[in-house]
Amino acid sequence: MSRVMLITGASRGIGAATARLAAQQGYALCLNYHQRADAANAVLEQVRGLGVTAIAVQADVADETQVLHMFEAIDRELGRLDVLVNNAGMLEQQMRLEQMDAARWGRVLGANVIGSFLCAREAIKRMSTRHGGQGGAIVNLSSVAARLGAPGEYIDYAAAKGAIDSMTLGLAKEVASEGIRVNAVRPGVIHTDIHAAGGEPDRVERVKASVPMGRGGQAEEIAEAILWLASEQASYTSGALLDVAGGR
Ligand code: NAP
């Protein structure tokens, strides 16, 4: 029986690259997306073309009811869960902290932090040996922003990723004896759509001068790290914060 992986935010960018690599490795997939059904369906076609079982499920990960419905769809249509990739994430327009309002902080912390907590909770209920599961792995998408702070851009986003680091460290210890490994990947600056949401589509070109390797990363290079952490090759790795950032 195929191992089953849920990838949140699988319609574009790092999540879509992770879906394609996971399909090549034979995972059955639940591809979550928020608004871009067209993009999600394109990824769904690609992974099904590789011969794996896959479903696409719309859900805002920040919405508890929608997350519960998504996990019910996994139970019903895929029958089990082995890996959660907490990839869905977003940022908003670049600005200084004193220009931000509380509504924005609610959205940024909701999608990046609450979303990851909700999905982790539902995954643990299904994977933990404490609840009759067979173990599994959780891979969280943090960011080097958690240690760099994103001054003048989005300190709220950086702080959200700092929370993901803390969650990774604590949860790894909490469920280690229940067959679940919990790790995070901290990408550097990667060529995806996310920078356009900050108002700077070409941000990678500006920032790459500060990357020791002198270039931005590709989504596929992050997917490789995610798939390794999800795999049995990483059987003794838990609580790791893995920087994939060109040395930055
Ligand atoms: P992206 O290209 O902007 O794609 C974001 C994905 O997340 C899309 O599939 C989007 O769905 C989904 N999404 C956003 N908000 C969601 C929500 N509330 N509920 C469900 N899905 C949601 O982003 P990316 O660059 O691939 O980033 C993926 C992860 O890596 C994020 O956690 C991000 O913070 C992290 N990261 C990225 C970089 C980078 O430089 N790109 C660096 C460090 C960390 P729709 O298509 O439906 O909108």
Side-chain angles (χ1 to χ4, degrees):
M1 189 181 216
S2 299
R3 283 171 27 105
V4 176
M5 176 182 287
L6 164 60
I7 306 168
T8 64
S11 44
R12 293 183 288 122
I14 292 167
T18 301
R20 288 188 286 267
L21 188 59
Q24 287 169 22
Q25 297 184 9
Y27 281 94
L29 293 168
C30 177
L31 309 177
N32 158 259
Y33 65 99
H34 185 205
Q35 291 171 317
R36 291 285 304 276
D38 56 332
N41 283 325
V43 180
L44 186 65
E45 290 304 311
Q46 289 173 345
V47 300
R48 284 182 173 165
L50 292 166
V52 301
T53 300
I55 59 172
V57 180
Q58 192 281 331
D60 176 355
V61 294
D63 184 309
E64 186 167 23
T65 302
Q66 294 182 35
V67 169
L68 292 176
H69 285 150
M70 175 170 69
F71 276 84
E72 286 165 12
I74 293 170
D75 295 341
R76 195 171 56 243
E77 299 186 39
L78 299 174
R80 56 182 284 151
L81 184 67
D82 301 279
V83 179
L84 164 65
V85 181
N86 260 329
N87 168 78
M90 53 78 101
L91 49 76
E92 297 202 4
Q93 182 68 35
Q94 296 176 3
M95 61 180 71
R96 289 169 53 92
L97 186 144
E98 75 266 30
Q99 297 173 292
M100 297 175 186
D101 60 26
R104 167 182 165 133
W105 292 330
R107 291 189 299 272
V108 170
L109 294 173
N112 291 293
V113 182
I114 305 292
S116 294
F117 273 67
L118 285 170
C119 292
R121 185 187 73 194
E122 294 309 308
I124 288 165
K125 286 181 188 170
R126 289 157 175 82
M127 299 192 304
S128 170
T129 56
R130 183 188 180 98
H131 301 295
Q134 298 179 333
I138 297 174
V139 182
N140 294 321
L141 268 292
S142 174
S143 170
V144 294
R147 59 174 167 74
L148 298 175
E153 295 185 321
Y154 16 69
I155 292 175
D156 52 351
Y157 170 79
K161 295 304 188 181
I164 293 301
D165 285 359
S166 296
M167 184 267 253
T168 302
L169 297 174
L171 191 59
K173 294 181 179 124
E174 195 164 288
V175 298
S177 65
E178 301 165 25
I180 303 175
R181 297 179 299 100
V182 185
N183 294 288
V185 174
R186 299 201 297 192
V189 63
I190 310 301
H191 291 277
T192 73
D193 297 342
I194 201 169
H195 310 290
E200 190 182 5
D202 295 332
R203 179 171 176 269
V204 179
E205 291 307 304
R206 172 174 61 84
V207 175
K208 71 181 186 184
S210 67
V211 179
M213 284 189 187
R215 66 172 178 88
Q218 298 297 333
E220 288 73 18
E221 296 178 289
I222 306 304
E224 291 284 354
I226 293 168
L227 266 293
W228 177 72
L229 286 169
S231 76
E232 279 306 302
Q233 280 69 48
S235 55
Y236 198 54
T237 302
S238 197
L241 308 176
L242 178 57
D243 287 14
V244 185
R248 182 162 171 244

